[in-house]
Amino acid sequence: MKSGKRKKKKKVREVAYRDLVDSLIDGYSVIRTVSGYFLLKGFAFHGISVETFEVLVQNHVKIILGSEMTPNVVKGTIFLLSNDVRIFRDNFQWNNHWVAFNNGLLNVRTREFTTNPSGIYCKHFVNCTYISSVSSLEAAPNFLKVIETAGNKDYVLAMRVLQVFTALLTPVKLKRIFYIYGVANSGKSMLLPILRNLLGKLVPQLTL
């Protein structure tokens, strides 16, 4: 008889945990990959530590249960949540061709811009507002003037400088080396001060 009561109590407890897990999934966009936990903030997923994840769960459980919250309930909720198929993603693949801005997501392949992050798992974030109406360099005349002047109106060089900007500002944790090759007096040594002056403190380690 006691065994039956224990099983019933355990089943009730699991149902209660499941309700907490469901409310957490509805309230937060969290995923767990082999490399850790990620929380959706705005339009991009940002990595969070295990400790931060556990605090998030604890605070949520406290809001739901109040004074009835216990350490065991928190542990049980964390265990179920961490292994829930809606959270844990095995062999997970990020949508690396998407970049998140403060106001939406940009597909760098198709130039598509959207404010609906549903189904897009992006962890590349640029802390600025994307202006979708700007589709070419002509929309930024002052910047274009600087690039053209520095490159003596060499369009190929201008595009190369922009590619370097993109690589330097992309939030990917990789070491990047640019090999500048050209004939004498072609402006190779001028490229570094151009990059440094335009990027400022964003890339303080830029050396040549």
Side-chain angles (χ1 to χ4, degrees):
M1 190 71 175
K2 288 183 179 180
S3 177
K5 284 185 177 180
R6 282 198 297 268
K7 287 182 179 179
K8 185 176 181 181
K9 191 173 183 180
K10 182 179 180 181
K11 187 174 182 180
V12 172
R13 189 185 304 123
E14 287 178 352
V15 171
Y17 288 161
R18 179 58 58 191
D19 289 341
L20 288 170
V21 167
D22 289 343
S23 66
L24 273 157
I25 292 175
D26 291 338
Y28 302 92
S29 292
V30 181
I31 58 175
R32 177 189 171 205
T33 71
V34 292
S35 59
Y37 291 93
F38 295 84
L39 175 66
L40 181 65
K41 298 178 183 177
F43 295 94
F45 283 87
H46 299 262
I48 59 174
S49 64
V50 175
E51 292 75 19
T52 299
F53 172 75
E54 293 177 349
V55 169
L56 183 150
V57 174
Q58 179 177 318
N59 291 340
H60 183 82
V61 173
K62 186 175 183 180
I63 292 173
I64 301 297
L65 299 181
S67 59
E68 296 182 8
M69 181 187 77
T70 65
N72 286 337
V73 171
V74 174
K75 289 180 181 178
T77 305
I78 289 174
F79 176 78
L80 284 180
L81 184 63
S82 299
N83 295 282
D84 193 290
V85 293
R86 293 169 292 177
I87 297 296
F88 182 66
R89 310 295 178 88
D90 194 17
N91 297 321
F92 182 77
Q93 295 292 326
W94 292 98
N95 298 126
N96 287 322
H97 55 284
W98 287 89
V99 176
F101 292 82
N102 291 327
N103 59 329
L105 291 152
L106 174 68
N107 187 320
V108 296
R109 292 177 180 171
T110 64
R111 304 288 294 180
E112 174 191 356
F113 184 76
T114 180
T115 56
N116 180 16
S118 178
I120 302 174
Y121 297 96
C122 169
K123 64 177 179 177
H124 300 310
F125 174 66
V126 179
N127 187 21
C128 66
T129 299
Y130 180 76
I131 305 174
S132 56
S133 60
V134 177
S135 58
S136 66
L137 282 175
E138 283 69 22
N142 292 332
F143 181 74
L144 181 60
K145 185 176 181 180
V146 171
I147 295 296
E148 287 182 339
T149 302
N152 194 26
K153 296 187 177 181
D154 185 332
Y155 180 80
V156 175
L157 178 59
M159 291 300 101
R160 182 65 64 196
V161 171
L162 292 177
Q163 288 173 357
V164 173
F165 283 171
T166 302
L168 289 173
L169 297 176
T170 299
V172 176
K173 295 180 179 179
L174 296 174
K175 292 183 179 180
R176 284 154 287 219
I177 299 176
F178 301 99
Y179 186 77
I180 304 172
Y181 177 82
V183 298
N185 298 319
S186 60
K188 298 187 299 298
S189 60
M190 287 299 298
L191 184 57
L192 178 63
I194 293 171
L195 295 173
R196 184 182 288 119
N197 290 333
L198 289 176
L199 293 174
K201 296 180 181 180
L202 291 175
V203 190
Q205 74 279 12
L206 189 62
T207 58
L208 182 64

